[in-house]
Amino acid sequence: MLADEFWPGPLTLVLKAGPVFPADMLGPGGTLAMRVPGVPWLRDLIHSLGEPITATSANISGKGEISDPAEIVRIFRGKADVIVDGDRPPEDFPRRSSI
């Protein structure tokens, strides 16, 4: 299975969602995109919460990736409920997810 091979890490699986998920949370055709982050502190946070996190990428649609924490705060301050500064990822950290 793909998840066994690539999780945790940069793989997003798009799956048909079960009936427990609200419709406004689903994509086209009742799908849900899922991934397990490769960053250990983020997996620890999710585990401590005891439930999944719903989030989008920290970028503007059609624009390049933003990896500088200060730039993310400048752009998204007042537009997001929470901004977590996880510091800059290591240079060899995969930036994009495969779907």
Side-chain angles (χ1 to χ4, degrees), residues 57-60 63-76 88-89 95-96:
S57 301
N59 63 2
I60 305 296
K63 304 286 184 179
E65 175 185 286
I66 307 167
S67 59
D68 177 25
E71 181 74 358
I72 292 169
V73 169
R74 185 187 70 72
I75 292 170
F76 292 102
R88 287 179 180 264
R95 299 283 197 260
R96 299 191 184 345

Side-chain angles (χ1 to χ4, degrees), residues 32-87:
L32 190 66
M34 298 175 60
R35 71 184 298 182
V36 177
V39 183
W41 70 262
L42 186 51
R43 288 194 311 274
D44 291 343
L45 173 65
I46 294 166
H47 186 267
S48 70
L49 291 172
E51 55 189 64
I53 293 176
T54 302
T56 63
S57 301
N59 63 2
I60 305 296
S61 182
K63 304 286 184 179
E65 175 185 286
I66 307 167
S67 59
D68 177 25
E71 181 74 358
I72 292 169
V73 169
R74 185 187 70 72
I75 292 170
F76 292 102
R77 178 175 282 135
K79 298 176 184 173
D81 293 330
V82 176
I83 298 174
V84 177
D85 181 352
D87 208 1

